[in-house]
Amino acid sequence: PPLQEPLKQNIDTCVHYLTRLSAVNCLLEVELGASGGADEGMDGTSAENASLYTQPEEVCWAFETLSKVSPAFLIAPAFGNVHGAYKPPRVLLQPAILESAQRYIVEEKGVVSRGPKPVLYAFHGGSGANEHDIRAAIAAGVVKMNVDTDTQWAYWNGLREYEASKRPYLQTQVGNPEGQEKPNKKHYDTRVWLRRAELGLADRVKGTIHDLGGAGVTAARK
């Protein structure tokens, strides 16, 4: 597994950058724990349980420390999530951890100035998550979810399906099942197959918006 810096070092580094970012009105996203996954060369199975599931005290430490600098930050805890798409038991999401951390900060630490859910969460490794877990995470305070792996696949899959459906027309510039003299330019035209990839991506984005409860919702209409 990749090296993971100590929590104090992580938070101290975030304080440094949040101080600089707040001066230019920018937001910082802080990752706590080990999400792991394909990008890091691990799937979470070899990591210690404590690193896969960020503890409420750790979220609280980050929240209290960063709040002294600026409110403009998101916390991305590890709650069984990974970067990539895997099947159980490699992915056992526990959104209840997010709620537990919120309660700890409010009830144990007495932080009430930002309501019952003071922490704004980012959900790393959202690809492959089911709608129930996504909605539970949102209810616990998630305001951002990453779905890079799913969107990469959706883009590629649109292209893959196009190539499979047009394969006989994509082998030569001239000549296809319709005739030896028939040109194939309209089939291998970059604009055509890129469009199919884009449509695949667009469909996945629509699905994600639905899963996040954002269908039919805009900043002006909630």
Side-chain angles (χ1 to χ4, degrees):
L3 292 175
Q4 180 186 339
E5 69 271 19
L7 181 60
K8 184 179 185 307
Q9 179 184 343
N10 185 2
I11 294 177
D12 287 347
T13 300
C14 291
V15 167
H16 170 73
Y17 283 106
L18 183 58
T19 301
R20 299 183 64 184
L21 289 170
S22 62
V24 290
N25 198 31
C26 286
L27 178 145
L28 178 69
E29 189 165 310
V30 181
E31 185 171 77
L32 301 178
S35 294
D39 292 345
E40 292 80 9
M42 62 181 286
D43 60 10
T45 56
S46 61
E48 294 181 359
N49 184 73
S51 65
L52 290 175
Y53 299 100
T54 303
Q55 305 305 305
E57 296 84 356
E58 296 170 332
V59 176
C60 182
W61 184 6
F63 174 78
E64 289 188 319
T65 304
L66 295 171
S67 292
K68 295 174 183 177
V69 179
S70 168
F73 62 89
L74 304 180
I75 293 180
F79 58 104
N81 45 325
V82 297
H83 295 131
Y86 301 94
K87 294 181 179 180
R90 294 189 176 187
V91 178
L92 294 174
L93 288 176
Q94 301 289 340
I97 289 175
L98 307 178
E99 185 64 42
S100 295
Q102 300 277 29
R103 287 199 306 270
Y104 179 84
I105 292 171
V106 173
E107 297 173 9
E108 298 296 327
K109 292 295 184 175
V111 177
V112 296
S113 60
R114 294 176 62 174
K117 292 182 173 58
V119 183
L120 299 179
Y121 290 123
F123 182 170
H124 287 186
S127 294
N130 63 55
E131 186 176 345
H132 178 269
D133 285 338
I134 292 172
R135 295 295 175 90
I138 292 172
V142 164
V143 297
K144 172 182 179 284
M145 184 176 77
N146 297 356
V147 286
D148 182 54
T149 299
D150 275 359
T151 52
Q152 286 178 344
W153 171 257
Y155 190 90
W156 157 248
N157 195 47
L159 173 56
R160 183 187 65 83
E161 290 181 343
Y162 176 76
E163 189 280 332
S165 68
K166 298 293 185 179
R167 187 166 298 164
Y169 298 85
L170 300 173
Q171 306 308 307
T172 60
Q173 286 186 297
V174 179
N176 58 51
E178 297 177 17
Q180 293 298 315
E181 305 300 322
K182 294 289 185 178
N184 293 317
K185 185 180 185 305
K186 68 179 181 180
H187 301 294
Y188 64 76
D189 187 322
T190 308
R191 293 165 295 184
V192 174
W193 52 265
L194 276 178
R195 181 59 176 164
R196 292 294 293 271
E198 290 168 349
L199 289 173
L201 175 59
D203 284 342
R204 183 63 186 92
V205 170
K206 289 178 183 177
T208 301
I209 291 172
H210 172 269
D211 292 343
L212 292 172
V217 177
T218 67
R221 177 187 175 190
K222 297 182 179 180

